[in-house]
Amino acid sequence: MVLQTEFAQIRNKTLYIDDVDAMDLVKQYGTPLYVMSEGHMRYQMNELKEKFLDKYENVLPLFASKSFSCLEIYKLAKEYGIGIDCVSAGEISIALKAGFDPHKIYFHGNNKLPSEIEYAITHDVDHFVIDNFHEIDLVEEIATKLNKTIYATVRVVPEIKAGGHGFIQTGHKDTKFGFSARHGIYLDAIQKIINSHSIQFEGIHCHIGSQVFDLYAYVSAMKRFVGFAYEIYDKLGVMVTKINAGGGYGIAYTKKDEPLDFEVITTEIMKTIQEGYEKRGWDMPMVLVEPGRYVVGNAGITLYTIGTVKEIPDVRTYVSIDGGMTDNIRTCLYDADYDGIIVNKAEEPKTLKATISGKVCESGDIVVKEVKIAKPEPGDIFAQFSTGAYHYSMASNYNQLPKPAVVFTYKGKSKRVIRRQTFDDLIYYDVNEDYQ
Ligand SMILES: Cc1ncc(COP(=O)(O)O)c(C=O)c1O
């Protein structure tokens, strides 16, 4: 069993998260329930601060907020002085409502809508990670109309294959993200930006993929990016003064996963860029990193109530819980592995190899593909570990299941940061109109 945070512990026959008994959380808030250890998130954000932000000059760690986006997390990020990466006007709007500094927001996305660009610029978001030629035209037009300057980092495809599953590999040649380096396409994009009136070219952006455990992939990507910086200077005569090295730092979901240390990755990134820039006698550019899962992934534990237990002789035992792919899509989407326990039997022998299935009307609705647990019975509480990233933020209402509440725990206390949806919420957007 992998409890990848020291903020969660098994003792006194139960599970404690930030010293709060998980069974008390169940009594107080019901299930399914997303529990997020604020202790863990603070610890990770502090790592970004102490081991990157405070350690080097001219750097900024960004929290990739697509991994977990809500008012409270943006408030926490703000407290640690880090920036954020947003991929939609919706994420930006929540960050701004949380009081986040718009100048520390980096706006990502491969198809930013004109309305989103206008929203961002109107609200003083001025750092864009530019993805495509169409976007350059849109940003130029809208920024000029609003009389604003936008600072651009250009997303370039490093052509490096890394990351846990095909769907989360973004740095290889066949990707919808960014400009290809083939045939000098990215140079044409940068030239277009240089020629623009309202966009100022600053640098280049790289994201090789997610759930990456290979240090060499980061080093190779940065070597390639230093090469791009040379080429940009030699061919276009402009300096790359900012390099965003992306995120994707893998975390442990099960015993098989061996995460890299944050400081080891960032040290290698900094060293590779520094060596490359020194060769040309250049000053270091500003360097950004943007991990998401690393900050929140292991903070999350989802609590479910077990219902049906169905043994298919010589095949498997399905243990069904009161949620499913609606609150955890990663197992279906990425074939992800997880670990977990029955909380109220935390110290009983794990005698059953079970498949934890959801209650959604889909055969693929599996929450944990295989896990050894104590003998399950209806009413037991199953805790799934490492559910902090891409769970709540990817949740849906399929089968009209209300989304669970999100509770933060910290120093022996808990608080709701998102309430559970009600049946009324399920029809909140329904309208009764006549045909026109
Ligand atoms: C551009 C970019 N940066 C950062 C991230 C964060 O990745 P992770 O949560 O794996 O660190 C992603 C994830 O999709 C991304 O697309």
Side-chain angles (χ1 to χ4, degrees):
M1 187 206 24
V2 175
L3 256 170
Q4 281 299 332
T5 169
E6 58 191 67
F7 294 90
Q9 290 152 1
I10 290 163
R11 57 186 144 90
N12 305 334
K13 300 185 180 161
T14 186
L15 169 68
Y16 284 90
I17 311 165
D18 283 315
D19 291 325
V20 182
D21 184 344
M23 293 307 284
D24 288 342
L25 293 172
V26 170
K27 271 186 221 133
Q28 195 170 349
Y29 305 106
T31 61
L33 186 69
Y34 293 117
V35 184
M36 298 289 290
S37 159
E38 185 175 325
H40 183 88
M41 292 185 287
R42 281 184 178 276
Y43 185 89
Q44 299 297 90
M45 284 193 188
N46 197 50
E47 294 278 286
L48 298 190
K49 179 173 154 42
E50 285 189 355
K51 299 192 173 152
F52 193 65
L53 185 62
D54 295 347
K55 182 170 163 186
Y56 302 101
E57 271 176 38
N58 203 21
V59 296
L60 185 65
L62 308 175
F63 165 58
S65 70
K66 72 203 79 171
S67 57
F68 179 67
S69 164
C70 66
L71 287 170
E72 276 304 304
I73 195 76
Y74 292 121
K75 288 183 197 162
L76 267 188
K78 184 178 161 198
E79 204 183 308
Y80 285 84
I82 62 184
I84 52 167
D85 135 6
C86 288
V87 287
S88 70
E91 282 182 1
I92 292 173
S93 76
I94 300 174
L96 294 177
K97 283 199 183 81
F100 209 85
D101 177 359
H103 303 296
K104 278 192 178 170
I105 298 177
Y106 280 70
F107 190 13
H108 273 269
N110 68 304
N111 189 25
K112 301 180 185 76
L113 307 177
S115 57
E116 292 186 300
I117 294 171
E118 179 139 3
Y119 179 88
I121 298 179
T122 308
H123 289 87
D124 292 331
V125 174
D126 50 4
H127 291 292
F128 276 53
V129 179
I130 301 274
D131 179 273
N132 57 80
F133 288 103
H134 175 54
E135 184 185 334
I136 300 174
D137 290 334
L138 289 173
V139 174
E140 167 70 347
E141 186 191 320
I142 296 167
T144 305
K145 183 180 82 181
L146 297 171
N147 201 21
K148 296 272 182 90
T149 299
I150 295 305
Y151 302 97
T153 32
V154 170
R155 182 162 179 172
V156 188
V157 182
E159 295 210 10
I160 282 172
K161 222 171 172 173
H165 182 275
F167 292 174
I168 49 175
Q169 294 172 347
T170 55
H172 51 304
K173 65 179 183 222
D174 183 1
T175 171
K176 70 169 184 167
F177 297 108
F179 293 95
S180 172
R182 295 183 174 214
H183 309 295
I185 292 174
Y186 82 108
L187 293 171
D188 295 343
I190 294 169
Q191 185 62 62
K192 194 172 162 83
I193 290 172
I194 294 168
N195 296 344
S196 76
H197 172 261
S198 302
I199 315 176
Q200 196 170 308
F201 172 74
E202 286 195 324
I204 45 183
H205 171 279
C206 167
H207 179 69
I208 53 177
S210 281
Q211 198 49 359
V212 177
F213 296 115
D214 177 8
L215 187 59
Y216 185 68
Y218 287 106
V219 174
S220 329
M222 285 307 101
K223 281 190 176 155
R224 203 154 287 179
F225 266 55
V226 167
F228 292 153
Y230 291 174
E231 192 172 33
I232 292 165
Y233 183 78
D234 294 342
K235 295 202 170 144
L236 307 180
V238 288
M239 281 292 292
V240 168
T241 56
K242 191 182 267 187
I243 294 183
N244 184 331
Y249 308 166
I251 62 164
Y253 286 94
T254 70
K255 272 190 249 152
K256 280 183 287 174
D257 299 327
E258 290 174 12
L260 295 164
D261 181 74
F262 172 74
E263 204 172 12
V264 169
I265 304 174
T266 47
T267 302
E268 286 303 313
I269 286 172
M270 293 302 281
K271 202 172 97 194
T272 311
I273 297 173
Q274 192 175 4
E275 283 170 6
Y277 268 57
E278 265 173 9
K279 273 192 194 143
R280 289 268 179 129
W282 293 346
D283 290 339
M284 267 298 266
M286 180 177 181
V287 180
L288 296 94
V289 292
E290 50 187 22
R293 181 190 324 265
Y294 168 80
V295 179
V296 291
N298 291 134
I301 293 178
T302 308
L303 301 175
Y304 296 108
T305 302
I306 290 173
T308 312
V309 177
K310 195 175 286 177
E311 186 191 343
I312 308 175
D314 306 324
V315 180
R316 71 174 73 239
T317 301
Y318 284 101
V319 176
S320 291
I321 45 83
D322 53 353
M325 63 195 290
T326 43
D327 49 72
N328 171 11
I329 191 69
R330 288 193 70 259
T331 309
C332 313
L333 194 59
Y334 306 136
D335 198 28
D337 290 317
Y338 286 94
D339 214 335
I341 53 161
I342 295 183
V343 179
N344 49 305
K345 297 175 177 170
E347 282 170 342
E348 290 184 19
K350 295 171 181 53
T351 50
L352 179 74
K353 203 189 272 179
T355 292
I356 312 295
S357 49
K359 65 185 276 14
V360 170
C361 204
E362 296 281 335
S363 303
D365 173 31
I366 301 300
V367 166
V368 183
K369 288 185 292 182
E370 199 173 271
V371 61
K372 282 201 99 178
I373 52 172
K375 188 176 178 303
E377 287 160 298
D380 284 345
I381 301 301
F382 179 73
Q384 183 186 3
F385 301 141
S386 303
T387 59
Y390 307 104
H391 278 240
Y392 169 72
S393 61
M394 283 188 167
S396 80
N397 286 121
Y398 183 44
N399 280 194
Q400 298 296 11
L401 299 190
K403 288 186 195 171
V406 181
V407 162
F408 277 15
T409 50
Y410 192 48
K411 293 188 174 172
K413 292 186 175 166
S414 67
K415 66 172 182 187
R416 273 188 322 173
V417 302
I418 298 169
R419 68 160 173 80
R420 182 180 304 286
Q421 287 185 342
T422 63
F423 291 153
D424 282 344
D425 292 326
L426 297 177
I427 51 165
Y428 184 76
Y429 304 102
D430 289 32
V431 288
N432 186 10
E433 288 185 345
D434 291 330
Y435 288 110
Q436 308 184 21

